Amino acid sequence: MLEQLRSVTQAVSLADGQQQKLDVIVQQVCQALKVESCSIYLADYQFHQYVLMATRGLNPDGVGQIRLGFNEGIVGLVGQREEPIRTSCAKEHPAFRYIEEANEDPFNAFLGVPIIHQRKVLGIIIIQQCEARDFERDEETFLITLAAQLSSILSLSELSDLFDEHNGERFSRTLPGVAASDGVAIGTARVIFPLENIHSIPDRKTDDIDGELEKLGKAVIATHRQLEKMSRRMKGKVSEQELSLFNAYQQILGSKGLGAEVEMVVREGYWAATALRKVIQKHLNEFKQMEDPYLRERANDIEDLANRVLAQLLKTSYKPKVIEPNTIVVAENFTAAMMAELSLKDVVGVVSIKGSSTSHAAILAKALGVPAIMGLEACPLTRVDGKQLILDGYNGQLYVSPNQTLVSQYQQLLEEDRQLLEDIRKEDNLPCQTKDGQRIALMINSSLGTDSNRARQTGADGIGLYRTEIPFMQLEQFPSEDVQACIYRDLLQDFRGLPVTIRTLDIGGDKQLDYFPIEEENPFLGWRGIRVTLDHPEIFLVQLRAIFKASVGFDNLKLALPMVSTNEELKESLRLIQQAFEEVKEELGDDCSSLQKPLIGIILETPAAVFQLRTLAKNIDFISVGTNDLIQYTMAVDRNNLRVKNLYNHFQPAVIQMLKQVACECQNLAVKPQICGEMAADPLGAILLIGMGFKELSMNIGSLGKVKRAISRFSLEELNQLAEDISQFETASAIRSHLLKIVEQRGLGGLVRAGN
Ligand code: PEP
Ligand code: MG
């Protein structure tokens, strides 16, 4: 059974487009279960109907025509109940509804199973047989398992078909993702793909067919040569049989082989790399459906060969091009490093299939003021290149090939956004305070790309978080004490007179150093933050010494420790801090007169630390709440896992309760609480935090002006009341809606959505 299931899902995943996938399913299910009919109905939510989309056994002319209301027939009942229904004689079932044009008179036995993706019924798969019998349990479990496996493939293929121009009228082409960086962008999609992976090549057309053919020819010749070389090198080292593999490769590539097929597709007007991908996917499909495991394995050889030709093609012909103005960059996994490489002059937005609102690329996008959507799983990467897009970074919606009315609406919103930002900038010099004059400190989370001049212009009260791992990530080995000291000194110098919180190295989780890889099954529950640096005092001490040396002559350093969850960790860290401090003092000798012991704090990001705040506070001067991690550890959700993204929300009542407890506890302790997670950058989150009692917020530079404006429009009393009022709401969405309503009432909606 497992083998049959595997072969059906594999065939489906390789079929091109939704209709082909559905046809493959019904055909393969009939074969695997030896039944006379298999059909698939898909849900059309616009009309609340199920539409017959593929069939074996029923009238093929009914495909696309036969429709049943969500409450009609046994099909409707399967959808309503969200569970399988089987009967030995469908006609006798009370919910049966006769459809003349379906030609289902000969069939008696019926089994229908819902196809559900993320709690939504996508459709119903049905098997039928003439013989009036109950389907066996394992036939039912086969269909249930298949439906569960197919659901995600189908949900993506449904969206993929939105990219066919002729389908444009049937659907609104909106893809939902995770709002990662505020703002709106209108531009053309440019897919950035990792080199040498044939499946990531986008659909791209060309006018220069001869040029593409020439590139293809050269790549094929270069691959031939490479294979010859490999074969020569292997001669005598492997058996003749194994050597013949290279000959087989050569033959596949030969004049009537793969090369010729790709040439034909190029002549249809495609880029050579796109044509190669199309041909290869067709062949892989055929190979992977083969019964014989040996032949099936050959699919890997074909894939390998294609990647070799591709590598040659990309090497000789597709040096990264200059990005055109008004580009929205789309990538499978947009990383912080990719962000750093972009020419921000021309890139107006960023879309990443993977990642979330607190992944590092998102944090950088915010810092750089580039609107971004992450976690756009539904975006078929190969089909989006060159399409016009509207990116709404406020609500995480991407509109593909939008109609002119929508473009005009968004152009208007873009203009309103621009005016609002201009208006907000006029308040740069004003201090942040509530309507009744309560001063609030707004600080900046500094990282790659933060322009110190601009940061100072915003009127920020200092650097609330400097993530030291970012410069570590840009290097090829651990930076020396001197190199680090230089970086930290520049920072302390740039913000002279204002506090600068430097956080010690916080690697692990999703923050990896190429030269110090940490491989774990559950990286966020593993070796990260202070746990790593305490296990490597040689790395920790070098960093601490560099920080202290950099601070000579300044009095603005604050030192923060990431991911502390026990008192032992804090005590051991303090011991090493003291050791490094003494060493630097001794080394500097007479020059150490201006070396001061900094304020020391922890980033509060585990519930364990929250519950031990009283004890931890005895030995520290401040705490900074890292809501990004505190949310994930409170809600038990990986902050980058898209399946549970709805749980990762700073308005979850449990999170709010946790934060209220921290604010309340800190009032009785001598530590000042600050917030440095992304919640502080959300104007709705920020006003709530002030209402809870936090008086210092640190955020990306791009959000500072908006947060300042939001705070300035409320009195402290109003915000305290707001924090009280939200206790009556029981869900994250109810809390957010309430905050949104309040903000809209004050005419501040433009701070959290497109337009003014
Ligand atoms: C946090 O966890 O909230 C935080 C500020 O740290 P990071 O996002 O770097 O994990
Ligand atoms: Mg953190």
Side-chain angles (χ1 to χ4, degrees):
M1 214 43 124
L2 200 61
E3 188 52 28
Q4 283 162 317
L5 269 170
R6 196 195 59 79
S7 96
V8 181
T9 46
Q10 197 155 53
V12 174
S13 65
L14 288 167
D16 206 11
Q18 192 193 56
Q19 191 56 54
Q20 211 185 332
K21 284 184 196 294
L22 297 175
D23 291 339
V24 168
I25 299 170
V26 292
Q27 180 233 328
Q28 296 251 331
V29 169
C30 283
Q31 237 173 40
L33 293 180
K34 306 205 172 16
V35 290
E36 287 140 352
S37 169
C38 176
S39 314
I40 295 176
Y41 286 81
L42 288 189
D44 178 341
Y45 277 89
Q46 198 181 351
F47 295 102
H48 289 251
Q49 286 174 332
Y50 291 110
V51 190
L52 180 69
M53 292 303 286
T55 186
R56 272 277 159 129
L58 302 189
N59 178 8
D61 293 340
V63 170
Q65 305 301 321
I66 295 178
R67 287 176 166 260
L68 279 166
F70 277 175
N71 299 326
E72 272 186 287
I74 316 181
V75 170
L77 196 62
V78 174
Q80 259 175 353
R81 288 204 191 154
E82 301 183 336
E83 64 180 356
I85 292 180
R86 60 186 170 136
T87 167
S88 57
C89 184
K91 288 167 212 133
E92 285 170 14
H93 193 284
F96 179 74
R97 155 117 151 61
Y98 183 68
I99 307 166
E100 198 183 340
E101 60 274 31
N103 293 356
E104 58 184 339
D105 300 71
F107 299 114
N108 284 300
F110 175 102
L111 168 61
V113 170
I115 305 168
I116 301 181
H117 182 66
Q118 292 181 343
R119 302 188 189 178
K120 187 174 169 193
V121 178
L122 297 182
I124 316 287
I125 181 164
I126 292 154
I127 53 173
Q128 287 173 281
Q129 234 179 349
C130 298
E131 186 192 345
R133 65 165 179 107
D134 272 337
F135 280 109
E136 305 282 334
R137 278 279 160 216
D138 32 338
E139 288 168 314
E140 185 174 324
T141 49
F142 177 93
L143 215 57
I144 292 174
T145 319
L146 184 69
Q149 291 185 2
L150 291 176
S151 63
S152 58
I153 300 178
L154 284 181
S155 81
L156 294 186
S157 82
E158 179 198 359
L159 290 156
S160 167
D161 279 10
L162 306 189
F163 288 74
D164 291 338
E165 297 301 333
H166 62 268
N167 278 341
E169 301 310 313
R170 277 175 46 207
F171 299 93
S172 72
R173 305 160 186 217
T174 316
L175 302 181
V178 178
S181 175
D182 280 357
V184 167
I186 303 173
T188 310
R190 174 105 196 156
V191 175
I192 303 185
F193 47 89
L195 299 183
E196 293 157 38
N197 176 1
I198 189 72
H199 299 290
S200 66
I201 299 297
D203 276 1
R204 208 168 269 179
K205 290 260 185 175
T206 180
D207 293 331
D208 181 16
I209 292 181
D210 289 342
E212 289 302 301
L213 288 175
E214 195 186 323
K215 288 169 193 165
L216 177 68
K218 281 186 185 156
V220 169
I221 291 171
T223 312
H224 268 302
R225 288 210 190 102
Q226 196 189 42
L227 291 169
E228 267 161 24
K229 236 197 227 160
M230 285 159 67
S231 167
R232 273 201 304 276
R233 233 188 7 247
M234 288 293 151
K235 208 165 181 156
K237 293 185 188 148
V238 297
S239 71
E240 279 302 313
Q241 197 193 352
E242 279 154 343
L243 256 189
S244 65
L245 175 70
F246 294 103
N247 290 338
Y249 270 26
Q250 299 275 28
Q251 275 167 17
I252 298 172
L253 255 186
S255 61
K256 292 205 181 71
L258 206 64
E261 275 184 71
V262 179
E263 196 179 309
M264 267 163 61
V265 183
V266 172
R267 289 192 189 283
E268 288 168 23
Y270 284 100
W271 214 39
T274 305
L276 181 66
R277 193 206 78 223
K278 282 179 174 281
V279 169
I280 285 304
Q281 279 179 338
K282 186 178 115 237
H283 283 294
L284 287 182
N285 198 356
E286 288 159 7
F287 269 99
K288 288 186 176 169
Q289 283 185 51
M290 288 180 181
E291 294 286 323
D292 181 340
Y294 175 80
L295 286 177
R296 229 172 29 222
E297 265 308 298
R298 301 286 62 78
N300 292 339
D301 298 337
I302 297 268
E303 203 165 345
D304 179 45
L305 184 61
N307 280 331
R308 286 176 189 285
V309 179
L310 179 69
Q312 295 298 337
L313 260 179
L314 297 172
K315 199 154 72 184
T316 53
S317 327
Y318 301 106
K319 303 248 162 51
K321 283 203 184 132
V322 183
I323 295 223
E324 308 273 321
N326 284 332
T327 293
I328 295 180
V329 174
V330 185
E332 168 81 21
N333 191 5
F334 208 85
T335 62
M338 284 159 94
M339 191 82 219
E341 278 163 15
L342 286 181
S343 144
L344 291 171
K345 185 169 63 62
D346 298 318
V347 172
V348 291
V350 163
V351 173
S352 179
I353 309 296
K354 295 197 173 136
S356 72
S357 58
T358 57
S359 55
H360 266 86
I363 289 173
L364 277 184
K366 280 181 219 172
L368 297 167
V370 180
I373 301 180
M374 302 273 150
L376 210 99
E377 273 178 308
C379 180
L381 208 57
T382 55
R383 322 242 344 232
V384 71
D385 198 64
K387 298 261 189 295
Q388 193 188 23
L389 303 178
I390 295 177
L391 183 163
D392 187 334
Y394 292 98
N395 62 12
Q397 300 284 347
L398 187 76
Y399 302 89
V400 184
S401 307
N403 59 33
Q404 196 43 46
T405 320
L406 197 63
V407 174
S408 307
Q409 274 168 10
Y410 266 93
Q411 270 162 346
Q412 171 71 19
L413 293 173
L414 202 61
E415 177 52 22
E416 286 175 15
D417 263 14
R418 200 191 54 71
Q419 281 172 14
L420 181 67
L421 283 180
E422 210 175 281
D423 197 39
I424 284 174
R425 275 198 165 201
K426 289 187 192 139
E427 294 170 9
D428 270 0
N429 296 328
L430 301 178
C432 177
Q433 56 186 27
T434 55
K435 212 162 75 176
D436 52 344
Q438 167 68 51
R439 184 78 168 84
I440 303 293
L442 293 193
M443 331 264 272
I444 287 176
N445 287 352
S446 167
S447 56
L448 187 78
T450 305
D451 169 354
S452 304
N453 286 334
R454 171 75 200 118
R456 290 213 73 136
Q457 276 168 13
T458 58
D461 294 293
I463 297 292
L465 172 65
Y466 179 74
R467 294 179 160 96
T468 55
E469 56 281 3
I470 306 281
F472 276 63
M473 281 166 158
Q474 291 174 300
L475 298 170
E476 283 170 7
Q477 57 194 10
F478 281 108
S480 67
E481 189 175 308
D482 288 348
V483 167
Q484 289 189 55
C486 229
I487 299 172
Y488 308 143
R489 192 173 301 118
D490 284 351
L491 184 72
L492 294 167
Q493 165 76 44
D494 284 348
F495 292 89
R496 209 181 182 125
L498 295 174
V500 172
T501 304
I502 297 187
R503 180 176 72 183
T504 61
L505 190 65
D506 184 16
I507 52 171
D510 65 344
K511 288 181 276 191
Q512 292 283 344
L513 303 178
D514 289 345
Y515 48 91
F516 189 66
I518 300 173
E519 277 173 32
E520 292 181 324
E521 261 185 41
N522 290 307
F524 279 110
L525 295 181
W527 203 45
R528 57 174 307 217
I530 202 74
R531 302 169 185 179
V532 177
T533 42
L534 285 181
D535 285 351
H536 280 280
E538 78 287 11
I539 296 171
F540 195 32
L541 284 166
V542 168
Q543 181 175 42
L544 291 169
R545 286 166 51 87
I547 294 173
F548 291 139
K549 281 192 178 171
S551 75
V552 173
F554 301 105
D555 60 359
N556 54 346
L557 170 66
K558 288 169 81 177
L559 190 64
L561 303 165
M563 272 294 287
V564 171
S565 49
T566 68
N567 282 296
E568 287 90 338
E569 284 168 346
L570 177 60
K571 287 200 173 140
E572 182 57 4
S573 306
L574 293 175
R575 186 185 71 75
L576 291 168
I577 290 172
Q578 188 60 28
Q579 179 183 325
F581 188 73
E582 296 297 338
E583 282 169 9
V584 171
K585 219 160 85 177
E586 198 179 313
E587 192 181 320
L588 295 178
D590 291 345
D591 297 335
C592 78
S593 56
S594 59
L595 176 67
Q596 292 179 19
K597 191 89 186 279
L599 296 179
I600 297 174
I602 59 166
I603 309 286
L604 192 76
E605 39 199 348
T606 64
V610 172
F611 292 122
Q612 294 170 94
L613 198 49
R614 208 169 293 223
T615 333
L616 292 166
K618 286 184 200 155
N619 295 308
I620 50 176
D621 305 300
F622 68 94
I623 65 149
S624 185
V625 188
T627 49
N628 302 344
D629 278 315
L630 189 58
I631 296 169
Q632 75 166 343
Y633 296 125
T634 303
M635 297 304 300
V637 281
D638 174 341
R639 65 199 248 185
N640 291 328
N641 185 336
L642 295 171
R643 285 217 178 124
V644 283
K645 64 177 185 236
N646 292 339
L647 289 172
Y648 186 89
N649 184 323
H650 47 246
F651 296 124
Q652 285 291 352
V655 173
I656 304 281
Q657 205 47 46
M658 181 77 79
L659 292 168
K660 277 187 172 174
Q661 182 174 327
V662 173
C664 178
E665 198 136 343
C666 284
Q667 276 177 0
N668 305 318
L669 302 170
V671 290
K672 270 188 150 188
Q674 183 203 59
I675 302 279
C676 66
E678 289 303 307
M679 181 176 183
D682 170 6
L684 300 180
I687 53 170
L688 187 57
L689 288 165
I690 304 299
M692 288 178 192
F694 294 95
K695 302 279 183 311
E696 282 184 23
L697 306 181
S698 188
M699 66 205 66
N700 65 75
I701 189 170
S703 305
L704 197 125
K706 290 184 176 180
V707 168
K708 193 198 286 187
R709 172 160 292 194
I711 292 172
S712 70
R713 300 299 195 263
F714 294 91
S715 70
L716 190 60
E717 200 183 325
E718 283 172 328
L719 294 182
N720 290 152
Q721 189 58 48
L722 188 64
E724 281 287 307
D725 291 348
I726 51 131
S727 326
Q728 60 181 296
F729 300 106
E730 292 175 356
T731 61
S733 58
I735 293 176
R736 188 172 190 280
S737 306
H738 181 67
L739 292 168
L740 196 58
K741 192 178 86 195
I742 303 277
V743 162
E744 289 281 7
Q745 278 166 358
R746 295 281 159 113
L748 297 169
L751 301 178
V752 289
R753 53 151 174 77
N756 57 21

